[in-house]
Structure formats: C-alpha cells, structure tokens
Amino acid sequence: MKTPIALLGSALLMTAAAAAPLEGKLSSADIIAATTADDWRALDPENTLYIELEQGRVVVALSPSLAQNHVANFKKLARAKFYDGLSFYRVIDGFVAQGGDLLEIRAKDIAPLAAEFDTAAPEGFAFHRLKDKDGYARQSGFVDSLPAGYDPKTKRAWHIHCTGAVAAARGDEPDTASTEFYVSLQPTRYLDRNMSVFGRVVFGMELVQALRRVAPAESPDGDLGDKIVSVRVAADVPEAERTNLEILRSDRPAFEAYAEARRNRPEAFFVYRPDYIDLCQLSVPVRPVSAE
Amino acid sequence: MKTPIALLGSALLMTAAAAAPLEGKLSSADIIAATTADDWRALDPENTLYIELEQGRVVVALSPSLAQNHVANFKKLARAKFYDGLSFYRVIDGFVAQGGDLLEIRAKDIAPLAAEFDTAAPEGFAFHRLKDKDGYARQSGFVDSLPAGYDPKTKRAWHIHCTGAVAAARGDEPDTASTEFYVSLQPTRYLDRNMSVFGRVVFGMELVQALRRVAPAESPDGDLGDKIVSVRVAADVPEAERTNLEILRSDRPAFEAYAEARRNRPEAFFVYRPDYIDLCQLSVPVRPVSAE
C-alpha cells in the first residue's frame, strides 16, 4: 500500500531534504510524529464507502454529522448494488467527476431527497474553527476532520467543496437529488450551500483525477466514461479486504498545532510566511491503521 | 480539437440545461457570448511553450511581465532541446508534477538563476484587481490574464500558485533554480513569493492531472515517470502544427463583468450566492482562435 500521509495535498519541499525549522518551532512533520493514538480516529466502516474502479479503490469518508439523509440514501443504494457496472460519465477537468446512472434506467424509480445544503448543528456538534477569514462562510473549519462552514447566527453547518468533496448532483430544483453524485476535482466553493455534500475522498484521489475526461453521452451507445465496478459500504466488505485508514482528529489540540505549522511554515526553505491558511489547502493527514 | 472554453475550471451546472438568469442579470455565458474580438488576446507564440507528452500537448502561457529572467531561461533551455526525452519524475497527488533532469546529467553545467519570487511592477503594469479579500496577498487579481498578487506598499508583484501555475523548482536556498520546473495540480498558495512562477498551463491540464504519480527515483534505473517528448517555444513550431488559442484579456471591462457573474451567479439554479470569488476559482476563458 502506498503511504497515504498528506494524501489530500502534500507539503513536501521541492527538494528531498527537509530544512531544519527556524526559531525552535515545530514543523508539521514534527507535530505528526509527536501525535499519540488518541489524536487519530479510525474511519468507521459503517460510514465509509469504497468506490471500486478497474484502476483501483477510492475510499470515501461519509459525514457522520451532516447531510445524514444523503448518507443513508447513498449507503442504501450501495447495499442494493445500484452503482455496480455504471460509470463516471461526466468528467470535466478542473471541475467535477460525476458518476451514476446517466441513462436513468435504474434511477427512474428512486425517490428524490429533500436538500441538505446545510443542516441545523446537531447535539454535541464539534466544530474546529480556523481563525483564518473565509470568503464563502462566516466561519470555516472542520467537523469530523471534514472541511465545513458554520453560521453562528442561524446555527447551521455544511460541508464545503474542497477537492475530493463528494456530493449529490441534482436538477434545477433543490429537492431533486437521488442517485447521481460527483467528486470535486478542484475547490468549487461556489457550490457550497447549493448542493448536499455528504463525504470526502480520503484515499485514491489520484485515480479520480485521472478518470477519462468525458461529456455525458447523448445516446445509449455513446461514450459512458470509465466504469464503476462497484460501490460498497466498508462494513460489508470482508475485514481482510478493507483499506483500514485513520484520520487526524479535528477535535484535538494536535490538529490546531498542525494547522498553525501550515499557516506559518517554520521550515527554513520558506522566505515568506503568509500567516494564513486557506481551508481547502489545509491537507488533513490520513494514514494506514498501524499494525500495533 | 476539444473546446477549451473555461478550461481552467468549468462553471457547468449539474444538469445539461442552463436555467434562465434571475433579475435580468447576465450569466457568464451571456457575457462571453457578447464579447468582441478586442476582448481577447491571442497567445504570443514567442511567449508560449508546448510541452509534448506521449499523451498529447500541454500549452503554457509564459508571463510576459513578471519573472522575465526565468521566462528567458526556460525558453533558452527549450530551444536547446534540453527537456527532450526527460520526464515528470515527481508527481504527487494534490500537490505538483515536477519535471526535468532528475539525474542532473544535463543540468550540471547550467548556471542557477537569481530568485524572482516577486518583481518590481514594470512600466505600464496592468493589474486587474479583484475586490475580493485574499488571505495570501494584500491585493490579488490578474496580470496578462494570469493570476497575480500585488503589494501597493512595495510596488512588487508576483504570479500566484493557482492550479496550472508553472514555476521553477529550487534547492533550499532561494537563488538555486536552474532547469527543474513544476506544475501545481491544486492551488498551493503557501508557495507564493517563495518560488518563481513564470507561466500557467492554459490547455491540456487534464493530461497533467493524469500523469503517473511517482516519487523521485533513488537510482538511475528507477522509475523516472512519464516521459517529456519535447518542450518547444510555439514560435519555433511550424504554423500548421500550432495550437492557436486566445485568452480573455484581464484589462478590459468584459473581464470584470465576467468576474461579477462568477461572484454572484445569477442562474436560477443557485439558491445561495456568496458575493465572493476566490482568485484561483475564477476560471479564465481560453478558446481556439476563430477561423474568421
């Protein structure tokens, strides 16, 4: 297995050798090295999807807190093997990879869902707010290690469209999503609060980035794009075949230390430090569950 | 040829049919449709590079205003056929694709360049400032249709690391860039003013996104990654073999109208309008030069 640390955007220097940090400050690598087991959370198999492509596996962390109805819907569809043999039929560079049932043969009997563009913050809502200003949200940060926005006036929260966001496609009207989904290939923040985001790719994003670019076919014998072999809930996959990952918890002090080391990178390589981190450019560390 | 409109990030709705704009406001599609020939600038063949891959052509618009020494250096190397047969040997998902001479066989006699992390704004500097706040730059906007930052106190400007930014790799010290270069696969703004950005991919970015992920090989017989067939200055390529593109000019009113239609998308599809555009999420329209 490839080492998936910093999978969602690496911080490697241009050179292989990392320069020593300045001023005795800790680099992000130092902070990650000093984390304890409690700073990490294993992905819950019941809230993890595997999108199996011919090219390999893509792992999606579902949101356990927000967009619950969409999470339930997509798990139910996965368990019904709805997506097996379908495809990523709309893959636009710099935008999204959209998959599902282009021809609406299987989808025609699936009831549409009410929109969950944002959600009343649930009981025990743990929002790790970043201090950095965000142009799209009153407050921005992380919920369950997934990037999120929050409005303290309305007390509503939503997952945002960073690269890897997984959301429900829809028609012109809000309450029309049912089976089709997309993965953002780049930050697409203008879709925030306009679409129901229900998870994020945390492993295998390079496979999504390399999906064949294709526009939706206009006829059944047109190019339907790269195939989806299957979509499965991880809990339904035999343990020996799972991709067991853990993600840095956003509700622990190590996460904020990590964010600060990204906001102002102490490595001597850097001559300019912006004292700022864009939410979508803060990669969330993901790693294999250790064998200990 | 594929239609490269909005190549740097599409604005397509989830559905094929575009909803009618609200309130009589113009959508970005309406604004583009109403542009005149004067609103577009053909890429200057003398300031355009073609990176030829086995998978196809990648077109880089070089900066005609900023990082001039780096532009001259990379053109000179292209004309010496320096890159022919080399490779993209460091391709990290969500970060950069770095190419050149990993083994430093050809590079060993090339003199390093002084850094051009930012540059004194040149005579006749045309900066199209966006009104939107930016966490990384005092002012952000576009120079020659390429995303840029500007500091009015120091009167210095720089190109920024949006997706497709082309910049010089370097060692730990600032003045060490010579032959190696990278393309940002995602916004990597923390590298702004820490690296010399000298151009941007304006066509073929989907080929860069799909480059095989590879870490630098530790020995000459290791995996050197996907091959670079050649790098050429467009002016040196026979006219019949060129990819003739034009880009929306950032110094004309149509550009700001376009930006506003992205800041607040008037299409009825959207239920939430952020009144904000992130610089790196404002795709700059590129299209084939018309046959007229």
Side-chain angles (χ1 to χ4, degrees), chain A residues 2 6-15 17-19 90 92-96 98 117 133-137 158 161 163 168-174 182 185-195 204-207 209-211 213 262 265 268-278 280-281, chain B residues 2 6-15 17-19 90 92-96 98 117 133-137 158 161 163 168-174 182 185-195 204-207 209-211 213 262 265 268-278 280-281:
Chain A
K2 284 178 287 180
L7 179 82
L8 305 179
S10 171
L12 299 177
L13 304 181
M14 293 297 112
T15 53
R90 181 166 183 254
I92 311 289
D93 193 65
F95 182 40
V96 300
Q98 182 169 325
F117 300 159
K133 282 196 178 156
D134 184 281
Y136 294 92
W158 57 94
H161 285 81
T163 300
R170 64 169 169 92
D172 286 339
E173 296 302 319
Y182 62 91
L185 300 175
Q186 293 284 327
T188 49
R189 298 288 309 274
Y190 72 95
L191 295 173
D192 290 359
R193 309 181 85 177
N194 283 301
M195 310 300 285
M205 190 63 204
E206 73 280 10
L207 304 179
Q209 294 288 1
L211 286 170
R213 273 51 179 166
R262 290 304 205 209
R265 296 184 184 230
F269 183 86
F270 297 97
V271 298
Y272 175 74
R273 294 180 178 83
D275 192 27
Y276 182 80
I277 183 79
D278 177 273
C280 285
Q281 292 177 54
Chain B
K2 283 178 289 182
L7 178 82
L8 305 179
S10 172
L12 300 177
L13 303 182
M14 293 298 112
T15 51
R90 181 168 183 256
I92 311 289
D93 193 66
F95 183 38
V96 300
Q98 182 169 324
F117 299 160
K133 282 196 179 155
D134 184 281
Y136 294 92
W158 57 94
H161 287 80
T163 300
R170 65 169 171 91
D172 286 341
E173 297 301 318
Y182 62 90
L185 300 176
Q186 292 285 327
T188 50
R189 298 287 310 274
Y190 72 95
L191 295 172
D192 289 358
R193 309 182 84 177
N194 283 302
M195 309 301 283
M205 191 63 203
E206 73 281 10
L207 303 179
Q209 294 287 3
L211 286 169
R213 273 50 177 166
R262 289 305 205 208
R265 296 185 183 230
F269 182 86
F270 297 96
V271 298
Y272 175 75
R273 294 181 178 82
D275 193 27
Y276 182 79
I277 183 80
D278 178 90
C280 286
Q281 292 177 54

Side-chain angles (χ1 to χ4, degrees), chain A:
Chain A
M1 181 190 241
K2 284 178 287 180
T3 303
I5 271 280
L7 179 82
L8 305 179
S10 171
L12 299 177
L13 304 181
M14 293 297 112
T15 53
L22 288 179
E23 307 158 44
K25 289 190 178 176
L26 295 179
S27 70
S28 57
D30 296 332
I31 290 162
I32 295 301
T35 54
T36 65
D38 290 346
D39 293 322
W40 299 81
R41 173 174 61 80
L43 295 187
D44 172 10
E46 191 57 41
N47 278 306
T48 302
L49 291 182
Y50 295 159
I51 302 173
E52 305 285 1
L53 306 173
E54 288 171 348
Q55 302 90 323
R57 177 177 285 176
V58 175
V59 179
V60 176
L62 298 170
S63 167
S65 303
L66 308 175
Q68 283 283 28
N69 294 339
H70 280 73
V71 168
N73 177 64
F74 282 86
K75 284 167 62 175
K76 186 176 166 189
L77 289 167
R79 285 182 157 139
K81 305 188 179 179
F82 178 89
Y83 297 101
D84 297 18
L86 296 177
S87 67
F88 277 100
Y89 55 78
R90 181 166 183 254
V91 183
I92 311 289
D93 193 65
F95 182 40
V96 300
Q98 182 169 325
D101 184 24
L102 171 66
L103 305 175
E104 296 194 343
I105 294 168
R106 301 181 195 177
K108 69 178 167 47
D109 297 325
I110 310 288
L113 289 168
E116 291 175 298
F117 300 159
D118 53 24
T119 305
E123 194 79 30
F125 177 68
F127 181 60
H128 178 78
R129 184 183 176 187
L130 292 182
K131 69 177 185 181
D132 314 86
K133 282 196 178 156
D134 184 281
Y136 294 92
R138 279 182 197 277
Q139 297 185 2
S140 71
F142 292 84
V143 173
D144 301 319
S145 305
L146 303 182
Y150 180 61
D151 184 338
K153 286 191 180 174
T154 61
K155 296 189 167 35
R156 296 186 76 82
W158 57 94
H159 284 304
I160 73 174
H161 285 81
C162 295
T163 300
V166 181
R170 64 169 169 92
D172 286 339
E173 296 302 319
D175 300 333
T176 54
S178 61
T179 62
E180 308 308 279
F181 68 97
Y182 62 91
V183 182
S184 291
L185 300 175
Q186 293 284 327
T188 49
R189 298 288 309 274
Y190 72 95
L191 295 173
D192 290 359
R193 309 181 85 177
N194 283 301
M195 310 300 285
S196 302
V197 180
F198 60 90
R200 191 179 191 190
V201 173
V202 294
F203 182 83
M205 190 63 204
E206 73 280 10
L207 304 179
V208 181
Q209 294 288 1
L211 286 170
R212 194 154 46 82
R213 273 51 179 166
V214 62
E218 292 178 3
S219 71
D221 55 354
D223 181 357
L224 297 181
D226 280 346
K227 191 174 157 184
I228 296 171
V229 176
S230 68
V231 177
R232 292 284 179 272
V233 178
D236 300 344
V237 171
E239 285 195 34
E241 295 168 27
R242 291 186 197 161
T243 301
N244 294 308
L245 300 172
E246 52 191 20
I247 193 164
L248 193 67
R249 285 175 59 164
S250 51
D251 58 348
R252 303 260 309 166
F255 194 92
E256 179 49 36
Y258 174 77
E260 176 54 25
R262 290 304 205 209
R263 202 176 272 128
N264 293 298
R265 296 184 184 230
E267 295 90 338
F269 183 86
F270 297 97
V271 298
Y272 175 74
R273 294 180 178 83
D275 192 27
Y276 182 80
I277 183 79
D278 177 273
L279 178 64
C280 285
Q281 292 177 54
L282 182 60
S283 60
V284 179
V286 173
R287 66 182 190 187
V289 171
S290 66
E292 298 170 40

